[in-house]
Each structure stands twice: as structure tokens, then as C-alpha cells.
Amino acid sequence: MTENHHDDGGVDTGLSLSFQAEYLSDQRAFHDYAYVVLGDDRAAEQAVHTALVLVRDSWDDLLVESNMQQQVWAILRGVVQEYRDRAERNAIAQGLDDYRQGLSQLNGDQGVFEAVITLPPQQFDAVILRYILCYTPQRIEWYMGISKATVARYCREGKARIEQAVPSLLKKTGDTAAGDQSERGTQE
């Protein structure tokens, strides 16, 4: 196990001088970039720390790169993007939870709210994101981590479950339930 020795500037003096120089020369610029993207000082500090650990761990490989500085920035940008994606996914998940709770407190005379909140979690997320919040299938795919085909299936199945649970809604909107050919033929 190696001991960490810090000078007065808080730099680990057990690290190579070239890494220390990189760290000291770019630390402020790294933080500024991370702060602009993430909008939060603590998150920016964490992202920069994570990126610098990755840089440190691959320092010997980076030293032989033709443009080491570009590679170091690429590592930082990748880490910052991961932090941003994680924060955005967490915000979407919290919003969906809040939406489900809000719907459970509403009373509709047609049973739409009840039908929506009884959807399985992934169908609920896909239906709300697609039809209420108007997310693109690609954006839902990114958020849920599933294929576009699965997004389409969840949306289709969720919508069908709602339509099946709320037939009075179908009559008012003029839509027909899947497989109901009698009304479908008259609408075309």
C-alpha cells in the first residue's frame, strides 16, 4: 500500500510530476466546464474528481498519445456527460413518481386516471412519456434503456389496456378498441 503525501497545495506528491502539473494547470478549467454543464458546484467537483482518477489510472497510456491534452479532455467530457445523464434520468424518474401519485389523488368520472395508474411500471412510464409529455421514442429509449421496438410495444400495450378499461372514453373520442371492426369500418 502506498502512502499519500500532500504538499501545502493539497496535491498528492506520490504522483508523477507530469500528472501533478496536468492536474494543477487544468483543474480550474475542468471544474468550470463541469459546472457549466451540470449547473451544480458539488456535482462538478465530483465529476472532475472522477475524471482525474480515470486520467491518473491511465496516465502511462496517455503520455504516449500524440495529443494527450485532447485525450484528457475527452475523458472529462465523457464523465461529465455520464453525471448529466444520471441527473436527468433521476429527475425524470422523480417526475414520473410524482405524476403517478398526483393521478392517484384525482377522481375522474370515466376511470381514466385509475386505468393509467394501474399500468405496470414500464408501461406507465412509456405511456406518460410518449402521450402526455410528448417524448420521442428515441428519448424514451434513452431514458428506459430499452429498444425502440420495446418502447413501441409498451406504448401500444399500455394504450390498449387504458382503452379496454375505459370503454366510455372510446365512445366519446370516436376511437375504437383494438379488434373492434364494426366502428372502425364506418370511420374510414
Side-chain angles (χ1 to χ4, degrees):
M1 190 164 158
T2 62
E3 278 188 48
N4 292 334
H5 303 281
H6 295 276
D7 66 7
D8 292 335
V11 176
D12 185 341
T13 56
L15 299 171
S16 72
L17 288 176
S18 58
F19 178 78
Q20 289 181 53
E22 175 66 27
Y23 173 82
L24 291 172
S25 67
D26 289 336
Q27 179 185 19
R28 187 75 220 151
F30 290 164
H31 182 273
D32 290 347
Y33 170 78
Y35 180 79
V36 166
V37 173
L38 300 172
D40 178 80
D41 196 48
R42 182 177 166 94
E45 288 177 15
Q46 291 173 344
V48 169
H49 175 76
T50 300
L52 287 173
V53 167
L54 291 172
V55 168
R56 182 201 65 206
D57 291 348
S58 55
W59 189 247
D60 291 337
D61 294 331
L62 289 168
L63 285 174
V64 298
E65 288 287 333
S66 61
N67 191 341
M68 182 188 72
Q69 191 69 16
Q70 182 180 20
Q71 297 301 316
V72 170
W73 274 96
I75 291 169
L76 176 73
R77 283 191 306 273
V79 169
V80 169
Q81 185 62 44
E82 287 175 20
Y83 272 71
R84 186 169 119 184
D85 287 351
R86 186 178 319 132
E88 193 170 346
R89 281 188 179 97
N90 289 340
I92 292 169
Q94 183 62 52
L96 287 167
D97 287 345
D98 292 347
Y99 200 85
R100 183 184 287 272
Q101 289 177 9
L103 283 177
S104 68
Q105 296 173 6
L106 297 175
N107 293 320
D109 60 347
Q110 298 174 340
V112 175
F113 305 135
E114 294 83 4
V116 172
I117 63 173
T118 60
L119 291 174
Q122 289 187 315
Q123 283 182 4
F124 175 86
D125 290 356
V127 166
I128 296 303
L129 292 172
R130 183 74 183 121
Y131 299 116
I132 305 299
L133 300 175
C134 301
Y135 277 40
T136 65
Q138 294 81 6
R139 187 78 173 144
I140 300 169
E141 174 186 18
W142 166 83
Y143 167 70
M144 294 181 75
I146 56 178
S147 70
K148 288 179 205 160
T150 304
V151 168
R153 182 172 55 91
Y154 285 158
C155 288
R156 189 175 52 252
E157 289 172 356
K159 186 177 175 192
R161 287 176 69 133
I162 294 167
E163 289 172 346
Q164 193 173 41
V166 190
S168 62
L169 176 66
L170 298 175
K171 290 177 184 169
K172 286 187 177 187
T173 63
D175 290 338
T176 58
D180 185 354
Q181 297 299 321
S182 61
E183 284 188 40
R184 185 174 293 145
T186 60
Q187 288 180 340
E188 295 177 345

